[in-house]
Amino acid sequence: MARKTANDDPLAPVTLAVGQEDLLLDRAVRDVVAAARAADADTDVRELTPDQLQPGTLAELVSPSLFAERKVVVVRNAQDLSADTIKDVKAYLAAPAEEITLVLLHAGGAKGKGLLDAARKAGAREVACPKMTKPADRLAFVRQEFRASGRSATPEACQALVDAIGSDLRELASAVSQLTADVEGTIDEAVVGRYYTGRAEASSFTVADRAVEGRAAEALEALRWSLATGVAPVMITSALAQGVRAIGKLSSARGGRPADLARELGMPPWKIDRVRQQMRGWTPDGVAVALRAVAEADAGVKGGGDDPEYALEKAVVTIARAARSRGR
């Protein structure tokens, strides 16, 4: 999610959007343009790249118009501006023109840091648009998208959507938009499954999740779909190994808060919560049996057996049975 500074007026003289998440950068621009056109429907919007913004160009763009029209000037990849053009921008920051909104899109980092510092010192409204590389960040993004649309979605539905779509924020946002437009009431995991079954079940991690939860039939169904849609068998054994090892790690760890365990075990906090739910039926002996099954399957799909599909099916069934070993 884009994070904003206390100055949250999109019509502030200067908006600084910092980060590398394209969707959030585009939304930062969209919000400014929408606010400007709400104030003046005839607002003139100019978008420029560094090669288009030559020394002297900015002065021409922000000079008073004969018709006193409002303008939005958007500069993309501001970190790549030439030294002479950066001087022009810094000079403008010291005395921004009325009815002009300058939007600087900057990737952050060391390149062009002088311009970044100058804009902040001048009191620019800042919108943080960081790249969302962590699953927990994407999950929070999906939740916020549902909240922003005024709709309710269960935590399981949000997680299922992230599992199904992956890391592309534009696709995640589009999926939320589709679900909120098509579905009435609370959006749950079943709804997400109906819309995105093919993508969700083609995930090797879905196979692993269902197996370590002891849901053999669903794990086998997901496995067959994954293989039919071209998922490499070695990816599935890798996911199974990660799933079983996570159970083993957490079951042998000391109790504590998810954040503390996350640091100790090298897992994100959201995964700690998920694994805790998955490990309820497991015993130490069950973990050992499951790890042997994964090792045998891994050997089978890497040339040690005649039928990789059978090796995977056997492993999935063995893991699902091991997941239900407690109390038997």
Side-chain angles (χ1 to χ4, degrees), residues 157-173:
C158 294
Q159 185 64 62
L161 198 58
V162 172
D163 290 344
I165 301 298
S167 61
D168 191 311
L169 249 59
R170 291 188 188 278
E171 290 196 25
L172 284 169

Side-chain angles (χ1 to χ4, degrees), residues 23 27 141-142 145-146 161 165 168-182 195-196 199:
L23 173 67
R27 284 185 173 182
F141 171 79
V142 168
E145 289 291 290
F146 279 118
L161 198 58
I165 301 298
D168 191 311
L169 249 59
R170 291 188 188 278
E171 290 196 25
L172 284 169
S174 176
V176 170
S177 179
Q178 179 182 14
L179 288 169
T180 56
D182 293 354
Y195 274 74
Y196 298 101
R199 300 179 70 161

Side-chain angles (χ1 to χ4, degrees), residues 95-138:
E98 292 186 12
E99 302 298 310
I100 304 290
T101 300
L102 176 65
V103 184
L104 299 173
L105 274 57
H106 195 293
K111 188 175 184 181
K113 190 173 184 298
L115 177 58
L116 200 60
D117 293 340
R120 286 168 171 161
K121 187 175 180 180
R125 166 183 178 258
E126 185 168 344
V127 182
C129 307
K131 199 75 176 174
M132 294 191 183
T133 57
K134 298 179 180 179
D137 292 337
R138 295 192 286 273

